[in-house]
Amino acid sequence: MTSPPIAENMSQSVLPKSESVDGVRALYLQQKGHVPEYNDYAAWQRTAEVANPVKSKRRPNSPETEILQIQINARRKTIQNYHVMRTKLVTANLELMTTIQKDECDVHTEVTKLLSQYEKFRGAIGDIKQRSQDELQEAREELERTKAETAAEITELEDILHRLDHTVQEKGNECELLIKFKGTDREYHLRLARMNELKTLIDNVLQEQIIDSHELSSLVEKHHTNFTLNTDKKCKKIQESLTASALNSIPNSIRDVAFQNQIMKREITTHKKSVKEMEREIKEIEDEIRKEVKKNKEPKMNLTKKVDVCTPDTKLTLDIPRSTILEI
């Protein structure tokens, strides 16, 4: 069944929603030639052909069904177009998702790095701000101190300047007086020569005094050294005489005790030396015994050797050391 030309027009362009169904029907019937040009659909229904149509074997389609069929075809085509667009959009979205997923890891790592750098920079900036504030406070305090010091120095310099101005004025007044006196007094040159002579005499006297003071200081040092030597000699003589008198005043029994004490000291020193020598010999003997033991780890017992047995009838000789008084 071939669709009428209106179907082709409607398949190419979708009908607007504002157009009513009656208008579509009237347009279709007008193209078929069933409805007059004044678009009277009700008058056309009252005609004889439409009121009593000829019955045929195949029932013709009504205009409403054809219109609906056209609309269905148009909707199908739009749905197909929508499906195609959906597939394109889905593929594009999948590609975008894959690219986004690929870039997410890199972006995440970069973002974490940037965040860590930001935290570091933030901490560094805070430290720098704190240090700068501290340094600024220190610089301000130092500036205040320098201002106070400079103000004090300026006041001192101003005082010195005032004093210098005063002395300059005084010297200027003295110079003016001297110039006036020089111009008025006729004996100025004689007085000036006398003043120079007196200055030279003062310098000579000062030099002589310095020389005399050096000579006096050297003489004083010599006398002092001689006096100290004499005092030391006298002290030694006094000590010797006192010791001799003290020794003479000591009784004989105390002298003997002191003499015996000296002898005991010498004996103690000799005994200490002998003890040290004995200890050294003992150490040497122990070392030799250790060496022999190492050489013979398993010594054999000589059972056949006779052992001296001490009986009550045996005579013993005791070698006991006796102390002898050393010669002094």
Side-chain angles (χ1 to χ4, degrees):
M1 180 177 175
T2 58
S3 62
I6 192 168
E8 295 177 358
N9 293 325
M10 290 180 72
S11 64
Q12 293 175 0
S13 63
V14 181
L15 293 172
K17 292 181 181 180
S18 61
E19 188 176 0
S20 63
V21 178
D22 293 331
V24 173
R25 289 174 180 172
L27 181 62
Y28 175 74
L29 293 171
Q30 188 176 2
Q31 289 180 358
K32 288 287 186 177
H34 297 290
V35 183
E37 293 181 358
Y38 52 82
N39 294 325
D40 191 359
Y41 182 73
W44 173 74
Q45 285 181 349
R46 288 194 295 272
T47 57
E49 294 178 356
V50 177
N52 296 314
V54 179
K55 293 181 180 180
S56 60
K57 293 180 181 180
R58 188 176 180 180
R59 187 177 179 181
N61 291 327
S62 64
E64 294 177 356
T65 56
E66 290 182 358
I67 290 164
L68 291 171
Q69 190 67 33
I70 291 162
Q71 290 179 355
I72 288 163
N73 292 327
R75 297 291 188 279
R76 283 177 181 174
K77 287 184 179 180
T78 53
I79 288 165
Q80 289 176 359
N81 292 324
Y82 288 151
H83 280 298
V84 172
M85 291 294 291
R86 187 189 69 181
T87 53
K88 288 181 180 179
L89 291 170
V90 167
T91 54
N93 287 326
L94 290 172
E95 290 176 356
L96 287 171
M97 285 174 71
T98 53
T99 54
I100 288 163
Q101 287 177 357
K102 287 179 182 178
D103 294 335
E104 271 182 357
C105 295
D106 297 332
V107 171
H108 181 70
T109 54
E110 289 178 358
V111 167
T112 52
K113 287 179 181 177
L114 291 171
L115 286 171
S116 63
Q117 289 179 359
Y118 173 72
E119 291 294 331
K120 289 179 182 178
F121 291 144
R122 188 176 179 183
I125 288 163
D127 293 333
I128 290 163
K129 283 183 180 178
Q130 187 67 32
R131 288 180 183 176
S132 63
Q133 288 178 359
D134 295 335
E135 289 177 356
L136 182 62
Q137 187 68 27
E138 290 177 357
R140 285 177 178 172
E141 291 176 357
E142 189 174 0
L143 180 63
E144 293 294 331
R145 287 197 296 273
T146 50
K147 281 182 179 178
E149 289 176 357
T150 51
E153 289 177 357
I154 287 164
T155 52
E156 288 178 357
L157 291 171
E158 286 178 352
D159 294 333
I160 291 164
L161 181 63
H162 289 300
R163 288 197 294 273
L164 289 171
D165 289 333
H166 184 67
T167 53
V168 166
Q169 284 181 356
E170 287 179 354
K171 294 292 182 183
N173 293 324
E174 288 177 359
C175 288
E176 288 179 357
L177 288 171
L178 286 171
I179 289 163
K180 288 178 181 179
F181 181 74
K182 186 178 178 181
T184 56
D185 193 3
R186 293 178 182 178
E187 295 179 355
Y188 175 74
H189 296 288
L190 297 172
R191 290 178 181 176
L192 184 63
R194 183 63 179 168
M195 288 171 69
N196 291 324
E197 288 177 359
L198 291 170
K199 284 180 181 179
T200 53
L201 285 171
I202 290 164
D203 293 331
N204 293 324
V205 170
L206 288 171
Q207 291 292 328
E208 289 176 357
Q209 285 180 356
I210 290 165
I211 292 163
D212 292 334
S213 66
H214 285 297
E215 289 178 354
L216 286 170
S217 62
S218 63
L219 288 170
V220 168
E221 286 178 357
K222 286 179 181 179
H223 286 294
H224 183 69
T225 53
N226 292 322
F227 180 74
T228 52
L229 290 170
N230 292 322
T231 52
D232 291 333
K233 288 179 181 179
K234 287 179 181 179
C235 288
K236 286 180 181 179
K237 287 179 181 179
I238 290 163
Q239 287 177 358
E240 288 175 356
S241 64
L242 289 171
T243 52
S245 63
L247 289 170
N248 291 321
S249 64
I250 292 168
N252 293 321
S253 61
I254 294 169
R255 286 181 184 177
D256 293 333
V257 170
F259 183 69
Q260 289 177 1
N261 288 329
Q262 289 178 358
I263 292 166
M264 290 294 290
K265 283 181 182 179
R266 291 183 181 180
E267 287 180 354
I268 287 163
T269 53
T270 54
H271 283 300
K272 283 182 179 179
K273 287 180 181 178
S274 63
V275 166
K276 287 180 180 179
E277 288 178 356
M278 293 294 289
E279 287 178 353
R280 184 174 57 78
E281 289 177 358
I282 289 163
K283 284 182 181 178
E284 289 177 356
I285 292 164
E286 286 177 353
D287 293 332
E288 289 178 357
I289 291 165
R290 285 173 186 171
K291 288 179 182 178
E292 292 294 330
V293 169
K294 286 181 181 178
K295 287 180 182 179
N296 300 318
K297 290 184 180 179
E298 294 178 357
K300 294 180 181 179
M301 297 296 290
N302 191 0
L303 299 174
T304 60
K305 188 177 180 181
K306 292 182 180 180
V307 180
D308 295 329
V309 179
C310 184
T311 60
D313 297 330
T314 57
K315 292 181 181 181
L316 298 173
T317 57
L318 298 174
D319 188 5
I320 298 168
R322 293 179 181 178
S323 62
T324 56
I325 297 169
L326 298 173
E327 293 181 359
I328 298 168

